Each structure stands twice: as C-alpha cells, then as structure tokens.
Amino acid sequence: MNILVQKLSPTATIPQKMTENASGFDLFADIGEPIILNPLEWRQISTGIALEIPVGYEAQIRPRSGLSSTLGLSILNSPGTIDSDYRGEIKVILINLSPNPIRIEPEMRIAQIVFCPVISPQLIEAQTLSESLRQDGGFGHTGQ
Ligand SMILES: O=c1ccn([C@H]2C[C@H](O)[C@@H](COP(=O)(O)OP(=O)(O)OP(=O)(O)O)O2)c(=O)[nH]1
Ligand SMILES: [Mg+2]
C-alpha cells in the first residue's frame, strides 16, 4: 500500500521505520529551536507533514517507550487519532510527566505513527442486548 506524505515545510522529515518490520514510523519534530517542557506542561509539537490515508484506514500517534522510560515524556491524548479525511499537519501533543524539565530538540524523534484498518459500522439503536456470561461485570469484577 502507498500512503501519500506531503512536506509542509522545507525542514520537515518524512516519518521513518527504524527497523524493517517496525509497526511504527518515527515522527520527527519540525521545530526551529528547542522547546522546553516543564513538569506537567503539554504542547502541540509540529511535524511539518500531512498525509493522505486511504479510506478504511486510520493512523495512531503513540509514545516511544524509550522517551517515556528514560525521560517521562508521553503523549497527552495517546493514542492520537488521525482520520483518513484529515489533510492538515500532523501534530503531537507531548506532555512532560517527569519532575524535571524536558528539552525537545529540532528533528527529535518524538513519537511513532502506526497505520491501522478501521471499521465503520452502522450503529443500530436497540431496546435490549443479547445476554453474555460477563453481562455488565467490569472494572475488575474478575479480581486482581
Ligand atoms: O494527536 C493528534 C490527534 C489529532 N490530530 C489531527 C488529526 C485528526 O484527524 C484531527 C482530529 O482529531 P480528533 O478527532 O482526535 O480531535 P477532535 O477534538 O475530535 O477534533 P475534530 O472535531 O476536528 O474531529 O486532528 C493530530 O494531528 N494529532
Ligand atoms: Mg474528532
């Protein structure tokens, strides 16, 4: 499958898979200068790219575990949803969950984007639903 990627700025970087069978393509920050995120601060970070995702697919913006485990850097709305009809700039809402300031560098690989199939069912209103073993048990009702 091909997915069209548009660079919206000359400094943007096309997302890259770092290994052949990686699920995600790393997303690069397209920022002119470093951005400091203070503890519990979040910011939309530009990537400088736009996508044309085929209908029937979506993209998810997910954190990179290395940045999370070493720095405490995460994504506020993880996983971010990129709709197939969105043609604007992909942005990453980074949040600093650590007690220390975090410096986001230009061209830093700040997140990863994963392309996934998505279904678009018809939602049919119903008065009753079929029975199941679980019924309405949830939120830990099976124990720890
Ligand atoms: O992390 C994200 C999440 C979303 N988007 C873009 C692509 C997506 O298609 C659009 C809308 O995202 P979403 O549906 O999550 O936000 P919303 O608050 O529901 O906005 P809208 O009313 O525009 O759908 O914003 C990003 O660039 N990065
Ligand atoms: Mg929406």
Side-chain angles (χ1 to χ4, degrees):
M1 169 187 292
N2 296 329
I3 292 184
L4 300 181
V5 186
Q6 182 182 21
K7 280 190 185 181
L8 302 173
S9 94
T11 50
T13 306
I14 303 286
Q16 281 173 25
K17 275 196 302 187
M18 303 312 288
T19 61
E20 191 187 348
N21 293 315
S23 300
F25 293 72
D26 284 354
L27 286 171
F28 295 75
D30 184 33
I31 50 179
E33 48 194 54
I35 291 175
I36 306 291
L37 279 183
N38 288 311
L40 292 183
E41 188 183 1
W42 64 83
R43 282 272 282 276
Q44 277 187 12
I45 307 292
S46 295
T47 65
I49 60 145
L51 298 172
E52 186 174 326
I53 302 173
V55 173
Y57 296 85
E58 62 160 345
Q60 298 179 3
I61 309 290
R62 302 188 193 163
R64 293 186 62 216
S65 63
L67 295 178
S68 299
S69 57
T70 58
L71 299 179
L73 184 64
S74 193
I75 295 177
L76 182 56
N77 60 329
S78 179
T81 302
I82 310 299
D83 303 283
S84 67
D85 54 0
Y86 180 70
R87 298 286 182 273
E89 182 180 16
I90 306 295
K91 296 196 175 172
V92 180
I93 309 172
L94 289 181
I95 181 166
N96 177 359
L97 295 180
S98 84
N100 311 306
I102 298 177
R103 199 177 145 103
I104 311 301
E105 303 286 353
E107 296 179 51
M108 184 171 162
R109 288 182 285 133
I110 52 174
Q112 57 190 319
I113 186 166
V114 176
F115 297 94
C116 313
V118 64
I119 63 168
S120 188
Q122 299 249 21
L123 295 184
I124 314 293
E125 186 176 354
Q127 300 309 316
T128 56
L129 303 175
S130 69
E131 291 190 3
S132 76
L133 271 181
R134 175 183 284 274
Q135 285 293 68
D136 60 355
F139 310 99
H141 93 297
T142 59
Q144 295 252 341

